[in-house]
Amino acid sequence: MRAWLPSLLRAALLAFLLAFLVSPGWFEPLLKPLVQDNAPAIYNQGSLLTLTLLHLRTVAIATIAAIVIAVTLAILVTRPFGAEFLPLSRSLVNVGQTFPPVAVLALAVPALGFGEKPTLVALFLYGLLPIFENTLTGLTTLPPSVMEAARGAGMTDRQRLFKVEVPLAMPVILAGIRLSVVISLATATIGSTVAAKTLGEVIIAGLQSNNIAFVLQGGLIVGALAVLIYDGLSAIEAAMARRAGL
């Protein structure tokens, strides 16, 4: 019974989230006590479902771009010809952690204008480090015996990379991607300060009108998404680890 409890809780959370996004009016009685007289309890300046999908799209685009760049850099610096570029690569991926996302937005807006593009830049830079470091760790901590066996089998460098190294390192790489996605889900809310369509729009509207129900809606949706995506990626990570015999 206990083993099924986490799965039941996740399923309940997913069902609750979908119900709220599709028919938020059902939950108005729960939120009504949090608002002042005659103030709306449910966000009414746009569709919560649409904002959630746009929020997820922004996070997905930025994360895919970060995966491509971070994993490529990590692979290059773990090859003999690219080892000397490791310090430079670390400096590059640390840029996003050095500058706060708000500062990145402020610098990007004059060049890219208002909207989704500055938010994508901020999320991309912020998501590089965990993916790069985990990929680097995964590729540099492989069992020496496995690598020697691959060489002994006559595999080329390319074959060892794609058939041995990357598959064995994939659980560690996924852990970095999971962390990056969760960070981006929360950070993407600030994109609404530069007119990006994210769930931050709901939170900002609540702060401006002193509507606690709006703030709670935006925060809970982002939190629920983070929990569900985190658990989903953790399950994939565990399955890959089992498949790799780790």
Side-chain angles (χ1 to χ4, degrees):
M1 179 64 181
R2 290 181 181 178
W4 286 97
L5 186 58
S7 298
L8 289 174
L9 290 175
R10 293 187 198 103
L13 178 61
L14 178 59
F16 182 86
L17 177 61
L18 290 175
F20 184 78
L21 293 176
V22 174
S23 300
W26 293 351
F27 302 87
E28 186 171 1
L30 294 175
L31 298 169
K32 198 66 177 175
L34 300 176
V35 301
Q36 299 173 355
D37 294 339
N38 300 321
I42 301 296
Y43 183 69
N44 59 355
Q45 300 171 29
S47 167
L48 287 173
L49 178 59
T50 300
L51 285 175
T52 300
L53 293 176
L54 290 174
H55 189 104
L56 289 173
R57 186 190 71 175
T58 300
V59 171
I61 293 172
T63 301
I64 290 170
I67 291 171
V68 171
I69 299 300
V71 172
T72 301
L73 275 178
I75 290 174
L76 289 176
V77 299
T78 54
R79 306 305 99 183
F81 63 83
E84 61 184 299
F85 295 105
L86 177 57
L88 175 61
S89 299
R90 273 214 165 99
S91 298
L92 290 174
V93 300
N94 270 296
V95 169
Q97 303 292 326
T98 304
F99 292 96
V102 175
V104 176
L105 287 177
L107 294 172
V109 165
L112 301 174
F114 288 90
E116 186 182 33
K117 291 179 181 179
T119 307
L120 288 173
V121 172
L123 296 183
F124 165 73
L125 292 176
Y126 219 56
L128 284 172
L129 182 62
I131 300 174
F132 175 81
E133 289 295 344
N134 275 53
T135 305
L136 193 63
T137 299
L139 293 174
T140 55
T141 57
L142 296 173
S145 58
V146 174
M147 299 305 297
E148 287 299 325
R151 291 190 185 93
M155 286 186 175
T156 64
D157 291 343
R158 185 184 180 87
Q159 288 174 329
R160 286 201 303 273
L161 174 63
F162 290 106
K163 293 185 177 181
V164 179
E165 294 181 55
V166 171
L168 288 177
M170 189 55 69
V172 182
I173 296 172
L174 269 178
I177 294 172
R178 171 164 46 89
L179 178 58
S180 179
V181 169
V182 172
I183 291 173
S184 293
L185 277 169
T187 307
T189 55
I190 67 169
S192 293
T193 60
V194 293
K197 285 292 190 179
T198 72
L199 288 165
E201 185 176 306
V202 184
I203 298 173
I204 292 172
L207 293 173
Q208 290 176 338
S209 60
N210 195 28
N211 190 320
I212 298 175
F214 284 7
V215 177
L216 187 64
Q217 286 165 60
L220 287 179
I221 293 172
V222 172
L225 289 172
V227 169
L228 291 170
I229 292 175
Y230 183 94
D231 283 350
L233 291 175
S234 294
I236 295 173
E237 180 187 333
M240 286 192 167
R242 288 194 297 271
R243 184 176 178 182
L246 301 177

